[in-house]
């Protein structure tokens, strides 16, 4: 059986952000003439997830830890690699981590379609240089919840689960 590696996104030390494709040009990253840049606003998010207004939409900030992050569409979850000896070890722990997670408070995120995950320091107009991950999401409202889980003695990961809400 051939296993396909997932694509991980990393940051230079700040939070990662998932910005809807429709408002990418409005994300200024660490650039800008404002006293507080978009990147500064992302760094102010307290906790594992938060929402920031961008254009006529909102971006999802993955806060707390600048861990390498992948999206697993089969689980509707961003997985954040905190500690594991290998990718295989980390990914094999995801099902049990999802089943045993003690989820934090859920936020409601309205998504107009695909989002791009990248280092929040980059401007949205330069995301190709930031090697973003495009995540195809069905337009609608999502419940977003997060947890930090240790599915094994040497494995720690963060979970940010997106659940499409009815109606």
């Amino acid at each position: 059986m051939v296993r396909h590696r997932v694509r991980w996104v990393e940051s230079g030390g700040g939070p990662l952000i998932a910005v809807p494709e429709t408002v990418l040009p409005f994300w200024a990253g660490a650039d800008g003439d404002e006293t507080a840049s978009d990147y500064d606003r992302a760094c102010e998010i307290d906790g594992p997830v938060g929402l920031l207004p961008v254009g006529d939409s909102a971006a999802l900030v993955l806060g707390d830890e600048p861990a390498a992050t992948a999206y697993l569409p089969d689980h509707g979850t961003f997985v954040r690699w905190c500690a594991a000896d290998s990718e295989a070890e980390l990914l094999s722990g995801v099902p049990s981590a999802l089943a045993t997670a003690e989820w934090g408070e859920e936020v409601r995120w309205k998504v107009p379609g695909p989002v791009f995950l990248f280092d929040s320091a980059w401007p949205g107009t330069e995301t190709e240089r930031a090697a973003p991950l495009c995540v195809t999401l069905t337009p609608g409202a999502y419940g977003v919840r997060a947890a930090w889980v240790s599915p094994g003695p040497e494995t720690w990961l963060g979970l940010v689960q997106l659940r499409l809400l009815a109606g």
Side-chain angles (χ1 to χ4, degrees):
M1 179 165 113
V2 175
R3 291 187 181 247
H4 296 282
R5 294 175 55 90
V6 298
R7 184 141 137 25
W8 296 92
V9 175
E10 298 185 21
S11 83
L16 294 173
I17 190 161
V19 179
E21 181 178 35
T22 59
V23 294
L24 270 176
F26 299 107
W27 182 259
D31 295 344
D33 299 328
E34 305 294 324
T35 55
S37 68
D38 285 343
Y39 173 75
D40 292 332
R41 294 188 311 134
C43 289
E44 290 174 3
I45 293 297
D46 186 27
V49 293
L51 298 175
L52 286 178
V54 180
D56 63 356
S57 191
L60 178 68
V61 178
L62 305 183
D64 271 351
E65 171 124 3
T69 302
Y71 184 72
L72 303 181
D74 292 348
H75 298 289
T77 302
F78 289 105
V79 175
R80 313 199 65 208
W81 186 335
C82 299
D85 287 333
S86 69
E87 180 182 84
E89 179 183 320
L90 181 90
L91 294 176
S92 70
V94 169
S96 65
L98 286 165
T100 61
E102 293 183 22
W103 299 101
E105 186 176 330
E106 188 170 88
V107 297
R108 184 181 171 101
W109 184 30
K110 189 174 180 197
V111 177
V115 299
F116 284 84
L117 179 71
F118 58 97
D119 184 331
S120 60
W122 285 94
T125 55
E126 296 182 29
T127 54
E128 70 282 348
R129 292 178 47 207
L133 173 64
C134 180
V135 177
T136 301
L137 297 175
T138 301
Y142 286 80
V144 180
R145 60 189 187 167
W148 296 104
V149 184
S150 179
E154 302 294 322
T155 305
W156 290 87
L157 56 97
L159 302 170
V160 178
Q161 189 175 56
L162 310 177
R163 298 180 309 108
L164 186 59
L165 302 173

